[in-house]
Amino acid sequence: MNKLKLIGPFKQLIPMTGLSLKGAISDSELIIVEDAGILIEAGKIVAVEKFNELHRKNSQAETFRLQGDHVALPGFIDSHTHICFGGSRANDYAMRNSGKTYLEIAKAGGGIWDTVTQTRKASKDALVKSTMKLANRHLKNGTTTIEVKSGYGLSVDEELKMLRAIKEANDGTDADLAATCLAAHMLPKDFDGSAKEYLNKISSELFPILKREKLTNRIDAFIEESAFSESQIAPYFQKAKEMNFDITVHADQFSTNGSKVAVDFGAVSADHLEASTQKEIDLLAGSEVIATALPGASLGIGCGFTPARQLLDAGGALAIASDHNPGSAPMGDLLTQAAILGAFEKLSNAEVLAGITFRAAAALKLADRGQLAEGFLADLSIFHSSNYNEILYNQGNLKPCMVMKNGEMVYNKHK
Ligand code: NIG
Ligand code: FE
């Protein structure tokens, strides 16, 4: 039988409820529940109310009583990562900082292709282990749901190896891993044929297996000079749509073409957008596509941030994700990066927190998380603090002291 659990009191609980999916949010719109408790049953939230009230009404509940001041937020959602990979690209990073550009390194055979070579050499079991290790690190830092892309296999068999590894890693970690197929990351250098032939092969041979083995329901593509053009991707996305996959796009990282494709195909999200101009900003803001900023990629490459302020002011929905990958975004610290983006782009704390909670949930079409309210998963990031503003103010240096996933305490600093 599933027992009732009560946790609290939290000095402040930020439920992230009642906020709009799109557009700017001011801090004054945030609901703050003081001296709050959360009643949980079967991994889900039954009620959020004053702790004393919940305790009085549910004296039979197993009570987890917190000592000292704590702030509760929804578990963070990182809607864009590449944490399944082999090897390291520390040398690329050094080369970039010595003056070579990301695209020059890619053209010279480094970049994504280097990671493909190293990932192909890794066994599935090794990938399961390394993915779990990174997922557990993110979980400890408060991220309870992590999207993970393939895209370093770039053949039917090697993409399958990655996606099966992600599925096994999901079974082995308390975090939820949401897989995405990124077989369209670049045209593999060893493919004997055109981009059209490669994409045809992937959609006709790999897509049906993804469905059959329930490996993912999401298809991503990198639209860029070094990867695929919009005309090459159109039939690929068309096929994906016909098979009822959700679409997401690596868009406008260096040049602007991807966001239009994302809007035309009704993608769930368009991610990167560092190069987006007012035209792309307005296009995205007028659509249902979630615009996802990846500050970790700007920090890794040393380029400007996604125009997050302009996207929000134009009425767009903004998620913020880490893009954790061995090349452009090696840091992999969502909270730090979201806080830094907030400082540079002048985002309210409410907008930053929305970007890593319910707006990120929308980018993954996960309607059961990202808010603390009845019926939602009991996924929590808990901080030792009396003021939620301390969290972003510390720019990632204030880590959660506890993390709860599906109503279970999966990390407790004091234990
Ligand atoms: O999101 N932009 C393309 N793909 C990844 C980078 C992958 C890599 O450099 O290995 C990104 O930044
Ligand atoms: Fe990416």
Side-chain angles (χ1 to χ4, degrees):
M1 230 199 41
N2 273 304
K3 284 211 313 232
L4 276 178
K5 283 187 197 174
L6 174 60
I7 179 165
F10 296 100
K11 183 83 181 151
Q12 293 184 333
L13 180 148
I14 317 295
M16 302 304 295
T17 52
L19 300 167
S20 78
L21 182 60
K22 295 182 72 177
I25 313 174
S26 70
D27 284 341
S28 60
E29 290 176 72
L30 273 189
I31 294 171
I32 302 173
V33 187
E34 295 192 330
D35 305 314
I38 308 178
L39 193 66
I40 298 164
E41 188 175 30
K44 291 198 171 157
I45 296 172
V46 177
V48 172
E49 247 183 86
K50 290 276 185 204
F51 178 82
N52 286 345
E53 209 38 33
L54 283 176
H55 193 246
R56 191 178 59 74
K57 291 192 280 195
N58 299 279
S59 52
Q60 81 285 17
E62 179 193 345
T63 302
F64 194 90
R65 195 180 275 273
L66 299 172
Q67 307 296 331
D69 291 340
H70 291 85
V71 173
L73 288 172
F76 303 139
I77 295 166
D78 192 342
S79 63
H80 182 139
T81 85
H82 308 247
I83 60 168
C84 181
F85 61 87
S88 157
R89 299 241 296 280
N91 294 344
D92 276 18
Y93 185 76
M95 274 195 273
R96 282 205 302 274
N97 291 348
S98 303
K100 288 250 180 307
T101 69
Y102 184 80
L103 292 178
E104 280 166 359
I105 293 169
K107 274 189 193 140
I112 294 169
W113 186 246
D114 185 26
T115 300
V116 171
T117 309
Q118 302 194 60
T119 305
R120 286 179 177 179
K121 279 190 201 142
S123 68
K124 188 189 71 176
D125 288 352
L127 292 177
V128 173
K129 264 200 191 143
S130 59
T131 305
M132 265 169 51
K133 193 168 166 202
L134 290 177
N136 288 335
R137 189 181 103 194
H138 292 309
L139 181 66
K140 211 171 128 183
N141 288 338
T143 304
T144 47
T145 299
I146 308 163
E147 186 261 14
V148 188
K149 298 176 195 298
S150 63
Y152 293 128
L154 306 191
S155 70
V156 172
D157 287 346
E158 291 292 330
E159 284 292 304
L160 277 174
K161 181 179 86 181
M162 286 194 76
L163 288 157
R164 288 174 181 147
I166 295 165
K167 191 174 182 182
E168 276 186 45
N170 180 47
D171 294 338
T173 173
D174 288 313
D176 281 338
L177 305 186
T180 302
C181 175
L182 180 56
H185 204 178
M186 64 178 277
L187 178 63
K189 289 184 189 287
D190 60 349
F191 183 76
D192 191 15
S194 64
K196 186 175 170 195
E197 285 163 335
Y198 172 71
L199 294 172
N200 257 337
K201 186 175 170 70
I202 293 293
S203 60
S204 60
E205 294 180 25
L206 181 61
F207 284 8
I209 307 175
L210 302 182
K211 288 279 175 190
R212 204 164 59 235
E213 292 189 26
K214 295 191 171 42
L215 291 171
T216 178
N217 197 36
R218 292 165 47 87
I219 301 294
D220 193 349
F222 186 21
I223 298 180
E224 193 55 62
E225 192 201 313
S226 61
F228 297 100
S229 68
E230 51 294 25
S231 60
Q232 286 166 341
I233 281 301
Y236 183 72
F237 275 173
Q238 191 54 46
K239 182 79 187 288
K241 283 209 83 147
E242 283 161 17
M243 292 180 73
N244 283 318
F245 284 103
D246 288 332
I247 284 171
T248 173
V249 188
H250 276 71
D252 300 1
Q253 185 178 14
F254 302 104
S255 57
T256 55
N257 281 320
S259 49
K260 178 158 187 328
V261 178
V263 173
D264 288 349
F265 280 90
V268 286
S269 74
D271 306 20
H272 272 295
L273 311 175
E274 294 89 335
S276 299
T277 67
Q278 195 61 48
K279 183 170 152 217
E280 289 76 33
I281 290 168
D282 290 337
L283 190 67
L284 287 165
S287 76
E288 300 304 307
V289 179
I290 310 278
T292 303
L294 306 173
S298 298
L299 293 166
I301 288 184
C303 69
F305 290 107
T306 301
R309 180 72 267 148
Q310 284 168 273
L311 276 157
L312 286 164
D313 287 343
L318 181 83
I320 304 168
S322 74
D323 194 21
H324 191 186
N325 74 68
S328 60
M331 181 206 288
D333 188 329
L334 179 62
L335 189 56
T336 301
Q337 294 164 4
I340 290 171
L341 182 74
F344 274 82
E345 279 293 309
K346 301 294 167 236
L347 307 181
S348 68
N349 281 351
E351 288 165 337
V352 174
L353 295 176
I356 57 174
T357 58
F358 72 97
R359 286 176 167 177
L364 297 177
K365 278 201 171 166
L366 294 172
D368 60 354
R369 63 199 74 190
Q371 297 178 47
L372 301 179
E374 185 187 347
F376 282 84
L377 294 181
D379 294 355
L380 303 177
S381 278
I382 302 168
F383 294 83
H384 223 331
S385 176
S386 58
N387 174 4
Y388 81 93
N389 279 327
E390 291 282 345
I391 296 167
L392 293 174
Y393 166 65
N394 275 278
Q395 299 189 314
N397 205 26
L398 179 65
K399 307 279 185 210
C401 58
M402 287 174 235
V403 179
M404 188 173 254
K405 180 78 190 86
N406 298 334
E408 300 295 330
M409 200 60 85
V410 292
Y411 171 67
N412 187 342
K413 189 180 157 191
H414 305 294
K415 288 232 161 114

